[in-house]
Amino acid sequence: MFASRFTRRALAALVLTFSPVAALHAAEPIRLVVGFAPGGGVDTLARVTAQALSKELDRTVIVENKSGAGGTISADYVSKSQADGNTLLFADTSLLVAPYIYPALRYDLQRDFAPIGMVGQSDLALAVPGDSPVKNVAELVEAIRKSPPQTETFASVGVGSVHHLGGELFALKTQTELVHVPYRGGAPASQALAAGEVSMSFASLASSIGLAKSGRIRLLATLSERRFPGMPELPSVSETIPGYSVTPSLFMLAPQNVDPAFIATVSKALENSMQQQQVQDAFLAQGSVAGYQDAQATEQWLGEETQRWAKVIESAQLDFKQ
């Protein structure tokens, strides 16, 4: 299980035993490691979070990008970092699926990390080409069912991504057949949809809004259970397909042996950060919602969400290792 038992008494004990070595560590910047390239959605939200944490902790927090392999390179790096609190991981749901795609991972998410807290959620959207006659989710499902098998396609940002699994879950829930067409990123996937190369896409809301405003694609719904606060007029898929929910979540982890009192301090600073209006506005601008959960709730969510996606992968008979 994830280590996540932190108390005020432990924090007090840390203060009383504060050593010159600990003071030296405290003077160093905290590196918030992100597994994606600069400029992307996760990176942008990590930088918003780092800036807010710097103020809350009165200590410099910098973002360090170690991109590649679905975020697993960054996770492996942080898992092997010194447990001094100077290196933390800013991650998303893709890490929960990674063991099914990369069988030779050198870390274990449960064994090697301790949760700090949940940061928020990045909304995804179901969209169709702008000239499609389909106007809502119910009409889309009807159109798929009337089409010959294996003719309706959906775009995602890549094999094994949460976007990909969102499409597979949609097919399972509606008992329809869809063909996955992976692209390298949200922008290429959305452009392919606009060009009519695919029937629909499961993409980030942030990468879809521009094309939707120009009329080149049509947003049908968000994939989360609730409507996106920044676009309350857009329904959620769950309003038509009960129980459907796909929302990549953002969270922070520390190497397993970092002092629990330090983690408690960072977790409290994270809670205060996510309550700031400027942080909430910055998240909304990226098609995301800032939302804190403490270490214990994050631990529980990680376990439940891992099991949920394992069941989807099994039910859809996906084999990423071929």
Side-chain angles (χ1 to χ4, degrees):
M1 294 296 290
F2 289 89
S4 60
R5 303 294 184 267
F6 314 122
T7 65
R8 294 180 180 273
R9 185 173 300 172
L11 178 58
L14 177 66
V15 173
L16 290 174
T17 59
F18 207 70
S19 67
V21 174
L24 176 62
H25 286 317
E28 298 176 15
I30 294 175
R31 293 181 298 161
L32 192 57
V33 181
V34 178
F36 301 93
V42 176
D43 172 75
T44 299
L45 296 177
R47 293 179 189 279
V48 170
T49 302
Q51 184 176 13
L53 282 175
S54 294
K55 295 178 180 178
E56 288 292 328
L57 295 169
D58 193 24
R59 181 176 171 187
T60 301
V61 181
I62 60 174
V63 170
E64 183 174 324
N65 300 89
K66 291 190 176 295
S67 60
T72 60
I73 291 176
S74 64
D76 182 68
Y77 174 78
V78 174
S79 72
K80 294 173 174 55
S81 299
Q82 292 186 16
D84 54 15
N86 290 335
T87 306
L88 306 175
L89 181 65
F90 190 95
D92 76 339
T93 303
S94 60
L95 277 190
L96 310 185
V97 184
Y100 298 94
I101 306 173
Y102 307 100
L105 292 179
R106 296 178 296 176
Y107 68 86
D108 182 277
L109 201 59
Q110 295 193 16
R111 180 194 66 214
D112 298 326
F113 292 94
I116 295 174
M118 193 74 73
V119 177
Q121 297 177 323
S122 294
D123 276 52
L124 304 183
L126 170 58
V128 294
D131 59 0
S132 170
V134 171
K135 298 297 191 297
N136 55 54
V137 175
E139 290 182 3
L140 176 63
V141 174
E142 183 180 2
I144 296 171
R145 288 175 175 164
K146 289 181 178 179
S147 300
Q150 302 293 310
T151 58
E152 298 294 340
T153 56
F154 74 92
S156 85
V157 301
V159 174
S161 64
V162 179
H163 313 63
H164 172 199
L165 296 183
E168 300 290 352
L169 181 60
F170 187 89
L172 289 170
K173 288 282 188 181
T174 58
Q175 297 182 330
T176 56
E177 293 186 34
L178 296 175
V179 178
H180 177 224
V181 182
Y183 291 85
R184 294 189 174 184
S190 294
Q191 290 289 345
L193 179 67
E197 295 177 12
V198 290
S199 308
M200 68 201 78
S201 73
F202 293 82
S204 72
L205 187 57
S207 69
S208 305
I209 290 176
L211 289 173
K213 288 182 177 179
S214 69
R216 297 183 63 195
I217 68 173
R218 178 181 299 122
L219 300 179
L220 299 185
T222 63
L223 306 193
S224 60
E225 287 185 314
R226 46 103 184 112
R227 295 191 177 197
F228 177 61
M231 300 179 67
E233 73 283 0
L234 187 65
S236 68
V237 171
S238 64
E239 294 174 35
T240 303
I241 306 173
Y244 182 93
S245 176
V246 181
T247 311
S249 294
L250 304 163
F251 50 92
M252 284 177 56
L253 304 175
Q256 180 60 252
N257 295 321
V258 170
D259 194 305
F262 173 80
I263 294 179
T265 299
V266 177
S267 184
K268 181 60 180 177
L270 184 63
E271 178 181 15
N272 293 340
S273 296
M274 293 303 105
Q275 293 174 350
Q276 296 174 14
Q277 189 62 52
Q278 62 268 32
V279 170
Q280 295 177 5
D281 291 343
F283 269 63
L284 286 175
Q286 291 295 317
S288 302
V289 178
Y292 168 83
Q293 292 187 52
D294 65 19
Q296 185 174 359
T298 303
E299 174 185 11
Q300 181 176 346
W301 175 86
L302 286 165
E304 292 174 351
E305 194 73 353
T306 298
Q307 292 179 8
R308 186 167 84 96
W309 287 120
K311 291 179 181 177
V312 171
I313 291 169
E314 180 181 2
S315 298
Q317 299 182 345
L318 302 176
D319 187 359
F320 304 120
K321 300 174 184 178
Q322 291 182 344

